Amino acid sequence: MISGTDICVELGRKTILDGVNFQAQAGQLTAIVGPNGSGKTTLLRALTGEQSYRGEITFGGKPLDRLSPLDLAARRAVLPQAANIAFPFTVLELVRLGLVAGLNGDTPEERDRRPAQALARVGLEGYGGRLVQELSGGERQRAQLARVLVQIWEPVFEGQPRFLFLDEPVSALDIGHQLMIMHLARDYAEAGGGVIAIMHDLNLTSMFADQVTLLGDGHVRASGTPEDVLTDHALSTCYGCPLRTNTAPTTGRPWILPQAALRAGHG
Ligand SMILES: Nc1ncnc2c1ncn2[C@@H]1O[C@H](COP(=O)(O)OP(=O)(O)OP(=O)(O)O)[C@@H](O)[C@H]1O
Ligand SMILES: [Mg+2]
């Protein structure tokens, strides 16, 4: 389990996170949602040890700041919101960057096969020899995810659950690939790992998340199941626009429609 208590972050004399409490369990997909600038990426970076903070964060019961870089690499992998590739890497070279010897207990032969397996899981079979800079935006996002996957390929290793931290993993993807990647994230959780995903698509969040934390202006505005959190009031207040929640007939989960028709001049 990952647990954050009273997390505060200040950047450039501005309070970005103010007393945030957050928990994520292995075996679950935990979504973080909220408007632009609400502090989602900052929270993720605090939880992964990339952002200094006040408060307490524990990972499997151990304080985050007591874990060595290798311990961290063995327990969690991070897909950043944006990653620039400065060198003309091929897709295979990019994915291989995620391989750290000894983290998955596999033989050198198994490790050699991992990048191709990861590319297949993100729908990029046959892309290994392509230059990353020549990929489309959605292909590049999936290639980065393959790099993250090979780092902690086994969702549970030596009895320890691993965690994927994904900052907007489907932001550049078409609907088919959105579903592919959300299923991949769910499969990781169902195999015993944990997934923490920042999401802007509230309907995908509702369909796939076990738990949701709604951030607004550096505070937790709601947290719980999608049914608890994705309510008309909480969403409309937090996003500052009229949103109407209904229940999807097939899944029983909330689905959210913007009430654009409420604006004059749009019917
Ligand atoms: N280095 C910095 N110095 C000052 N303010 C910063 C810095 N980095 C981020 N911020 C501010 O912190 C706030 C939260 O940023 P963060 O990236 O966490 O937002 P977010 O919720 O991930 O937004 P988005 O949905 O746009 O990705 C923003 O208002 C941002 O401008
Ligand atoms: Mg962000």
Side-chain angles (χ1 to χ4, degrees), residues 13-29:
R13 283 210 240 130
K14 197 177 152 213
T15 301
I16 309 296
L17 296 178
D18 191 6
V20 166
N21 294 323
F22 177 86
Q23 286 201 342
Q25 310 276 355
Q28 294 195 341
L29 196 162

Side-chain angles (χ1 to χ4, degrees), residues 40-42 81 167-168 198:
K40 303 180 298 298
T41 294
T42 306
Q81 185 167 1
D167 196 340
E168 300 193 27
I198 296 179

Side-chain angles (χ1 to χ4, degrees), residues 142-164:
R142 285 182 284 130
Q144 289 286 0
L145 180 59
R147 173 184 64 77
V148 170
L149 277 179
V150 297
Q151 184 188 324
I152 51 170
W153 184 256
E154 306 289 349
V156 179
F157 182 59
E158 295 180 343
Q160 294 261 17
R162 269 95 172 261
F163 282 78
L164 291 171

Side-chain angles (χ1 to χ4, degrees), residues 241-244 257-267:
C241 60
L243 295 167
R244 177 78 47 83
L257 267 185
Q259 298 296 290
L262 295 180
R263 285 182 57 177
H266 289 272

Side-chain angles (χ1 to χ4, degrees), residues 6 11 34 50 61-62 66 69 73 111 116 130 146 149 161 173 198 213 227 263-264:
D6 201 15
L11 294 171
E50 298 162 291
K62 287 193 183 171
R66 298 238 193 98
R111 202 160 56 244
R130 298 268 307 271
L149 277 179
L173 305 186
I198 296 179
T213 291
E227 290 81 0
R263 285 182 57 177

Side-chain angles (χ1 to χ4, degrees), residues 207 247-253 255:
M207 279 174 69
T247 303
T250 46
T251 61
R253 297 267 184 139
W255 61 281

Side-chain angles (χ1 to χ4, degrees), residues 149-230:
L149 277 179
V150 297
Q151 184 188 324
I152 51 170
W153 184 256
E154 306 289 349
V156 179
F157 182 59
E158 295 180 343
Q160 294 261 17
R162 269 95 172 261
F163 282 78
L164 291 171
F165 287 85
L166 310 176
D167 196 340
E168 300 193 27
V170 298
S171 58
L173 305 186
D174 66 75
I175 191 160
H177 285 111
Q178 287 181 348
L179 292 171
M180 169 192 269
I181 298 309
M182 293 311 295
H183 278 296
L184 185 161
R186 271 228 68 83
D187 289 347
Y188 199 87
E190 279 165 23
V195 181
I196 298 168
I198 296 179
M199 301 286 295
H200 278 306
D201 188 317
L202 299 172
N203 287 311
L204 284 178
T205 301
S206 176
M207 279 174 69
F208 285 96
D210 298 292
Q211 296 285 315
V212 183
T213 291
L214 173 65
L215 280 187
D217 207 14
H219 296 87
V220 174
R221 300 299 181 193
S223 78
T225 63
E227 290 81 0
D228 291 339
V229 172
L230 304 177

